[in-house]
Amino acid sequence: MTRPKSKYPRLTDREAEIMSLLWERGPLFVREMLESFPEPRPHFNTVSTTVRILEDKGYVGHEAIGGSHRYHAIAQASDFGGRSLAQVIKSFFNNSASAAVSALVEEEKISVEELRQIIDMVESRKKDNQ
């Protein structure tokens, strides 16, 4: 069974950085985005081109202010979360969710109580789908 295609394909690293800025800080001009990057900062044209690509993909919109554009996110962060996690599990845990959870347990990033809550949620969904 194939999974339905997402409305939003996977983001490049640079695209993800820019989307994160827009989700966290709201509408921004390209120069404001540049100020958020650590040194060495990308070139203005690189960020500007990436933002326009995101706009072409329908993830970002803009408002013309003076002779410039202030960009805002159209896509929501929640539209990307599940796919990002799936990609991490595929890339780093041999497509095994249990291996990913085991790593969280080993690194003490998840508690026994949180695991119980996850199990309860899974069991509840199974009952709802029957």
Side-chain angles (χ1 to χ4, degrees):
M1 178 168 151
T2 59
R3 197 176 348 169
K5 294 274 186 207
S6 171
K7 179 177 169 184
Y8 299 106
R10 194 162 103 71
L11 297 171
T12 66
D13 290 343
R14 181 68 74 203
E15 289 171 342
E17 286 179 289
I18 290 170
M19 290 304 299
S20 291
L21 284 173
L22 293 172
W23 290 323
E24 291 168 16
R25 296 186 47 205
L28 296 168
F29 294 97
V30 171
R31 63 180 156 67
E32 293 172 319
M33 292 178 206
L34 276 172
E35 293 167 5
S36 298
F37 286 98
E39 293 290 345
R41 291 186 172 111
H43 192 274
F44 180 94
N45 289 345
T46 301
V47 174
S48 180
T49 298
T50 304
V51 172
R52 284 194 311 260
I53 290 168
L54 287 166
E55 189 171 28
D56 289 343
K57 290 180 176 181
Y59 304 169
V60 168
H62 76 268
E63 172 187 12
I65 297 178
S68 190
H69 293 126
R70 184 169 65 177
Y71 295 93
H72 60 274
I74 293 173
Q76 301 300 308
S78 60
D79 296 328
F80 295 91
R83 278 193 347 280
S84 298
L85 179 58
Q87 186 62 38
V88 167
I89 290 171
K90 181 179 178 184
S91 298
F92 299 103
F93 297 99
N94 200 25
N95 221 19
S96 169
S98 61
V101 172
S102 293
L104 291 171
V105 169
E106 287 175 23
E107 295 179 17
E108 298 179 1
K109 302 289 185 192
I110 191 168
S111 70
V112 172
E113 182 57 34
E114 289 170 315
L115 284 172
R116 283 191 183 113
Q117 290 172 354
I118 292 168
I119 291 167
D120 291 344
M121 182 179 62
V122 170
E123 289 175 345
S124 175
R125 284 191 182 161
K126 275 186 176 179
K127 287 177 188 175
D128 291 345
N129 290 334
Q130 291 178 351

PDB file of all heavy atoms in Angstrom, residues 2 8 10 19 25 34 36 38 62 71 75 77 80 114 120 130:
ATOM      1  N   THR A   2       0.703   2.110  -0.944  1.00  0.00           N
ATOM      2  CA  THR A   2       1.512   3.319  -1.015  1.00  0.00           C
ATOM      3  C   THR A   2       0.837   4.433  -0.245  1.00  0.00           C
ATOM      4  O   THR A   2      -0.383   4.529  -0.184  1.00  0.00           O
ATOM      5  CB  THR A   2       1.731   3.770  -2.476  1.00  0.00           C
ATOM      6  OG1 THR A   2       0.465   4.006  -3.071  1.00  0.00           O
ATOM      7  CG2 THR A   2       2.496   2.724  -3.260  1.00  0.00           C
ATOM      8  N   TYR A   8       2.840  19.022   0.506  1.00  0.00           N
ATOM      9  CA  TYR A   8       4.107  19.738   0.581  1.00  0.00           C
ATOM     10  C   TYR A   8       5.277  18.758   0.498  1.00  0.00           C
ATOM     11  O   TYR A   8       5.526  18.010   1.429  1.00  0.00           O
ATOM     12  CB  TYR A   8       4.192  20.523   1.897  1.00  0.00           C
ATOM     13  CG  TYR A   8       3.109  21.566   2.031  1.00  0.00           C
ATOM     14  CD1 TYR A   8       2.039  21.380   2.892  1.00  0.00           C
ATOM     15  CD2 TYR A   8       3.162  22.728   1.283  1.00  0.00           C
ATOM     16  CE1 TYR A   8       1.046  22.345   3.005  1.00  0.00           C
ATOM     17  CE2 TYR A   8       2.170  23.691   1.389  1.00  0.00           C
ATOM     18  CZ  TYR A   8       1.122  23.492   2.252  1.00  0.00           C
ATOM     19  OH  TYR A   8       0.149  24.443   2.360  1.00  0.00           O
ATOM     20  N   ARG A  10       9.236  17.406   0.466  1.00  0.00           N
ATOM     21  CA  ARG A  10      10.333  17.617   1.400  1.00  0.00           C
ATOM     22  C   ARG A  10      11.074  18.911   1.085  1.00  0.00           C
ATOM     23  O   ARG A  10      11.266  19.285  -0.059  1.00  0.00           O
ATOM     24  CB  ARG A  10      11.287  16.428   1.292  1.00  0.00           C
ATOM     25  CG  ARG A  10      12.277  16.333   2.401  1.00  0.00           C
ATOM     26  CD  ARG A  10      12.852  14.936   2.452  1.00  0.00           C
ATOM     27  NE  ARG A  10      14.166  14.787   1.903  1.00  0.00           N
ATOM     28  CZ  ARG A  10      15.259  15.243   2.460  1.00  0.00           C
ATOM     29  NH1 ARG A  10      15.206  15.937   3.559  1.00  0.00           N
ATOM     30  NH2 ARG A  10      16.431  15.035   1.914  1.00  0.00           N
ATOM     31  N   MET A  19      11.822  28.546   6.345  1.00  0.00           N
ATOM     32  CA  MET A  19      10.460  28.307   6.834  1.00  0.00           C
ATOM     33  C   MET A  19      10.429  28.391   8.357  1.00  0.00           C
ATOM     34  O   MET A  19       9.505  28.983   8.922  1.00  0.00           O
ATOM     35  CB  MET A  19       9.942  26.947   6.355  1.00  0.00           C
ATOM     36  CG  MET A  19       9.664  26.867   4.860  1.00  0.00           C
ATOM     37  SD  MET A  19       8.503  28.101   4.215  1.00  0.00           S
ATOM     38  CE  MET A  19       7.006  27.722   5.123  1.00  0.00           C
ATOM     39  N   ARG A  25       9.173  33.746  13.703  1.00  0.00           N
ATOM     40  CA  ARG A  25       9.227  35.201  13.843  1.00  0.00           C
ATOM     41  C   ARG A  25       8.141  35.944  13.086  1.00  0.00           C
ATOM     42  O   ARG A  25       7.998  37.150  13.235  1.00  0.00           O
ATOM     43  CB  ARG A  25      10.606  35.688  13.394  1.00  0.00           C
ATOM     44  CG  ARG A  25      11.710  35.139  14.310  1.00  0.00           C
ATOM     45  CD  ARG A  25      13.077  35.674  14.022  1.00  0.00           C
ATOM     46  NE  ARG A  25      13.106  37.105  13.869  1.00  0.00           N
ATOM     47  CZ  ARG A  25      14.030  37.753  13.174  1.00  0.00           C
ATOM     48  NH1 ARG A  25      15.002  37.084  12.593  1.00  0.00           N
ATOM     49  NH2 ARG A  25      14.009  39.058  13.078  1.00  0.00           N
ATOM     50  N   LEU A  34      18.411  37.354   6.812  1.00  0.00           N
ATOM     51  CA  LEU A  34      19.884  37.270   6.797  1.00  0.00           C
ATOM     52  C   LEU A  34      20.467  37.499   8.184  1.00  0.00           C
ATOM     53  O   LEU A  34      21.421  36.824   8.581  1.00  0.00           O
ATOM     54  CB  LEU A  34      20.472  38.282   5.826  1.00  0.00           C
ATOM     55  CG  LEU A  34      20.536  37.849   4.375  1.00  0.00           C
ATOM     56  CD1 LEU A  34      20.948  39.018   3.497  1.00  0.00           C
ATOM     57  CD2 LEU A  34      21.483  36.692   4.199  1.00  0.00           C
ATOM     58  N   SER A  36      19.375  36.654  10.928  1.00  0.00           N
ATOM     59  CA  SER A  36      19.143  35.499  11.799  1.00  0.00           C
ATOM     60  C   SER A  36      20.120  34.359  11.565  1.00  0.00           C
ATOM     61  O   SER A  36      20.224  33.458  12.390  1.00  0.00           O
ATOM     62  CB  SER A  36      17.720  34.973  11.593  1.00  0.00           C
ATOM     63  OG  SER A  36      16.790  35.961  11.946  1.00  0.00           O
ATOM     64  N   PRO A  38      23.726  32.495  11.334  1.00  0.00           N
ATOM     65  CA  PRO A  38      25.039  32.663  11.957  1.00  0.00           C
ATOM     66  C   PRO A  38      26.098  32.955  10.890  1.00  0.00           C
ATOM     67  O   PRO A  38      25.899  32.683   9.708  1.00  0.00           O
ATOM     68  CB  PRO A  38      25.295  31.306  12.621  1.00  0.00           C
ATOM     69  CG  PRO A  38      24.484  30.339  11.830  1.00  0.00           C
ATOM     70  CD  PRO A  38      23.275  31.107  11.342  1.00  0.00           C
ATOM     71  N   HIS A  62       3.882  36.922  -0.091  1.00  0.00           N
ATOM     72  CA  HIS A  62       4.535  38.192   0.228  1.00  0.00           C
ATOM     73  C   HIS A  62       3.551  39.347   0.161  1.00  0.00           C
ATOM     74  O   HIS A  62       2.498  39.256  -0.449  1.00  0.00           O
ATOM     75  CB  HIS A  62       5.731  38.449  -0.690  1.00  0.00           C
ATOM     76  CG  HIS A  62       5.342  38.902  -2.068  1.00  0.00           C
ATOM     77  ND1 HIS A  62       5.157  38.032  -3.102  1.00  0.00           N
ATOM     78  CD2 HIS A  62       5.085  40.141  -2.565  1.00  0.00           C
ATOM     79  CE1 HIS A  62       4.814  38.696  -4.196  1.00  0.00           C
ATOM     80  NE2 HIS A  62       4.758  39.983  -3.891  1.00  0.00           N
ATOM     81  N   TYR A  71       7.912  38.708   3.419  1.00  0.00           N
ATOM     82  CA  TYR A  71       7.436  37.345   3.195  1.00  0.00           C
ATOM     83  C   TYR A  71       6.818  36.756   4.449  1.00  0.00           C
ATOM     84  O   TYR A  71       7.239  37.049   5.563  1.00  0.00           O
ATOM     85  CB  TYR A  71       8.596  36.468   2.722  1.00  0.00           C
ATOM     86  CG  TYR A  71       9.125  36.904   1.375  1.00  0.00           C
ATOM     87  CD1 TYR A  71      10.187  37.800   1.285  1.00  0.00           C
ATOM     88  CD2 TYR A  71       8.549  36.440   0.203  1.00  0.00           C
ATOM     89  CE1 TYR A  71      10.662  38.220   0.053  1.00  0.00           C
ATOM     90  CE2 TYR A  71       9.020  36.858  -1.042  1.00  0.00           C
ATOM     91  CZ  TYR A  71      10.070  37.743  -1.115  1.00  0.00           C
ATOM     92  OH  TYR A  71      10.531  38.160  -2.324  1.00  0.00           O
ATOM     93  N   ALA A  75       2.277  27.786   4.313  1.00  0.00           N
ATOM     94  CA  ALA A  75       2.253  26.414   4.834  1.00  0.00           C
ATOM     95  C   ALA A  75       2.485  26.442   6.345  1.00  0.00           C
ATOM     96  O   ALA A  75       3.205  27.304   6.848  1.00  0.00           O
ATOM     97  CB  ALA A  75       3.345  25.592   4.156  1.00  0.00           C
ATOM     98  N   ALA A  77       3.785  24.652   9.957  1.00  0.00           N
ATOM     99  CA  ALA A  77       4.843  23.746  10.407  1.00  0.00           C
ATOM    100  C   ALA A  77       4.320  22.326  10.551  1.00  0.00           C
ATOM    101  O   ALA A  77       5.029  21.361  10.232  1.00  0.00           O
ATOM    102  CB  ALA A  77       5.429  24.236  11.727  1.00  0.00           C
ATOM    103  N   PHE A  80       4.703  19.682   7.816  1.00  0.00           N
ATOM    104  CA  PHE A  80       6.000  19.085   7.532  1.00  0.00           C
ATOM    105  C   PHE A  80       6.505  18.144   8.612  1.00  0.00           C
ATOM    106  O   PHE A  80       7.374  17.336   8.382  1.00  0.00           O
ATOM    107  CB  PHE A  80       7.048  20.190   7.317  1.00  0.00           C
ATOM    108  CG  PHE A  80       6.774  21.022   6.114  1.00  0.00           C
ATOM    109  CD1 PHE A  80       6.017  22.178   6.215  1.00  0.00           C
ATOM    110  CD2 PHE A  80       7.240  20.639   4.873  1.00  0.00           C
ATOM    111  CE1 PHE A  80       5.740  22.947   5.096  1.00  0.00           C
ATOM    112  CE2 PHE A  80       6.969  21.400   3.749  1.00  0.00           C
ATOM    113  CZ  PHE A  80       6.218  22.556   3.860  1.00  0.00           C
ATOM    114  N   GLU A 114       5.898   8.714  29.453  1.00  0.00           N
ATOM    115  CA  GLU A 114       5.609   9.144  28.081  1.00  0.00           C
ATOM    116  C   GLU A 114       5.408   7.943  27.170  1.00  0.00           C
ATOM    117  O   GLU A 114       4.519   7.950  26.304  1.00  0.00           O
ATOM    118  CB  GLU A 114       6.745  10.029  27.551  1.00  0.00           C
ATOM    119  CG  GLU A 114       6.780  11.394  28.204  1.00  0.00           C
ATOM    120  CD  GLU A 114       8.030  12.178  27.862  1.00  0.00           C
ATOM    121  OE1 GLU A 114       9.144  11.601  27.898  1.00  0.00           O
ATOM    122  OE2 GLU A 114       7.883  13.387  27.565  1.00  0.00           O
ATOM    123  N   ASP A 120      -0.924   3.892  25.103  1.00  0.00           N
ATOM    124  CA  ASP A 120      -2.357   4.113  25.290  1.00  0.00           C
ATOM    125  C   ASP A 120      -2.985   4.767  24.059  1.00  0.00           C
ATOM    126  O   ASP A 120      -4.079   4.396  23.624  1.00  0.00           O
ATOM    127  CB  ASP A 120      -2.625   4.982  26.524  1.00  0.00           C
ATOM    128  CG  ASP A 120      -2.316   4.270  27.829  1.00  0.00           C
ATOM    129  OD1 ASP A 120      -2.180   3.025  27.829  1.00  0.00           O
ATOM    130  OD2 ASP A 120      -2.205   4.973  28.871  1.00  0.00           O
ATOM    131  N   GLN A 130     -11.506  -0.149  14.560  1.00  0.00           N
ATOM    132  CA  GLN A 130     -12.077  -1.477  14.388  1.00  0.00           C
ATOM    133  C   GLN A 130     -13.554  -1.434  14.192  1.00  0.00           C
ATOM    134  O   GLN A 130     -14.278  -0.616  14.413  1.00  0.00           O
ATOM    135  CB  GLN A 130     -11.744  -2.363  15.592  1.00  0.00           C
ATOM    136  CG  GLN A 130     -10.275  -2.693  15.624  1.00  0.00           C
ATOM    137  CD  GLN A 130      -9.901  -3.542  16.842  1.00  0.00           C
ATOM    138  OE1 GLN A 130     -10.695  -3.752  17.757  1.00  0.00           O
ATOM    139  NE2 GLN A 130      -8.696  -4.044  16.835  1.00  0.00           N
TER     140      GLN A 130
END
